[in-house]
Amino acid sequence: DAGITQSPRHKVTETGTPVTLRCHQTENHRYMYWYRQDPGHGLRLIHYSYGVKDTDKGEVSDGYSVSRSKTEDFLLTLESATSSQTSVYFCAISGTGNQYTEAFFGQGTRLTVV
Amino acid sequence: GDSVTQMEGPVTLSEEAFLTINCTYTATGYPSLFWYVQYPGEGLQLLLKATKADDKGSNKGFEATYRKETTSFHLEKGSVQVSDSAVYFCALSGSGNQFYFGTGTSLTVIP
């Protein structure tokens, strides 16, 4: 299994509070991604990174920010959590960045905003 | 833009039945195609992949052929087992190094 660790695995937070989710990899892969998974929507890309300090928005980036100060860590921050951000969040990594390489996924973080 | 459309679920089959889950895609250029499987409470795991037209990906009895003419990548298995119960996602990777996923198809296999 690819070395990807997400933390925390579960979190309950209150509306309006900031929340940070962490993704840590031991594979030295260049590309890292944050997805959210919701029933009926599959996986939707929030943000991704193609190198240290290099990030870009995905299709559902509003209300989220990311940072990547080291190759191994990719942080996702919900600036002010809302109930619509209740979801399961997955981090993924990809090695070479060419389209022939698959993505490897972490175990997910279940976030509940009350 | 790039996108993936896969068969709606849920799908319920008896053990040893034949499985097909349809997947079609829209993409510019020549994407790679993947099937991922997700078991309850876990992340997605790669099941198989194909990187060019007419390639056949296979793993654990599952197969899928990259059909450029019909823009399809249907997942098949000749004889499903209870342990195959999971959610299956079709995905593509194209230019821009992004992955696009279908909405997932839940499969339940009953003894």
Side-chain angles (χ1 to χ4, degrees), chain B residues 6 29 34-35 38-41 53 56 74-75 77 85 92-93 98 101 107:
Chain B
Q6 69 179 94
F34 308 88
W35 277 100
Q38 184 181 34
Y39 299 101
K56 178 185 283 189
H74 305 321
L75 182 68
K77 187 175 185 183
S85 298
L92 72 81
S93 171
Q98 293 189 32
F101 291 84
L107 171 67

Side-chain angles (χ1 to χ4, degrees), chain A residues 61-110:
Chain A
S61 59
D62 287 349
Y64 302 94
S65 62
V66 290
S67 67
R68 191 169 179 199
S69 58
K70 298 185 289 186
T71 298
E72 58 266 34
D73 289 326
F74 192 33
L75 304 181
L76 176 71
T77 297
L78 287 65
E79 294 141 8
S80 176
T82 68
S83 58
S84 65
Q85 294 176 311
T86 292
S87 187
V88 180
Y89 292 86
F90 286 99
C91 174
I93 64 175
S94 181
T96 65
N98 71 49
Q99 64 193 63
Y100 308 113
T101 306
E102 61 267 32
F104 300 94
F105 283 81
Q107 295 287 80
T109 295
R110 182 173 295 277

Side-chain angles (χ1 to χ4, degrees), chain A residues 9 31 33 35 37 40-43 45 48 57-58 90 94 97-107, chain B residues 30-32 34 36 38 41-44 46 49 51 89 93-104:
Chain A
R9 294 292 313 279
Y31 285 77
Y33 309 82
Y35 289 88
Q37 183 179 22
H41 292 278
L43 276 78
L45 182 65
Y48 68 103
K57 295 179 180 180
F90 286 99
S94 181
N98 71 49
Q99 64 193 63
Y100 308 113
T101 306
E102 61 267 32
F104 300 94
F105 283 81
Q107 295 287 80
Chain B
Y30 303 96
S32 291
F34 308 88
Y36 283 84
Q38 184 181 34
E42 298 186 8
L44 278 70
L46 180 69
K49 72 177 185 181
T51 59
F89 291 90
S93 171
S95 59
N97 304 305
Q98 293 189 32
F99 293 82
Y100 297 88
F101 291 84
T103 53

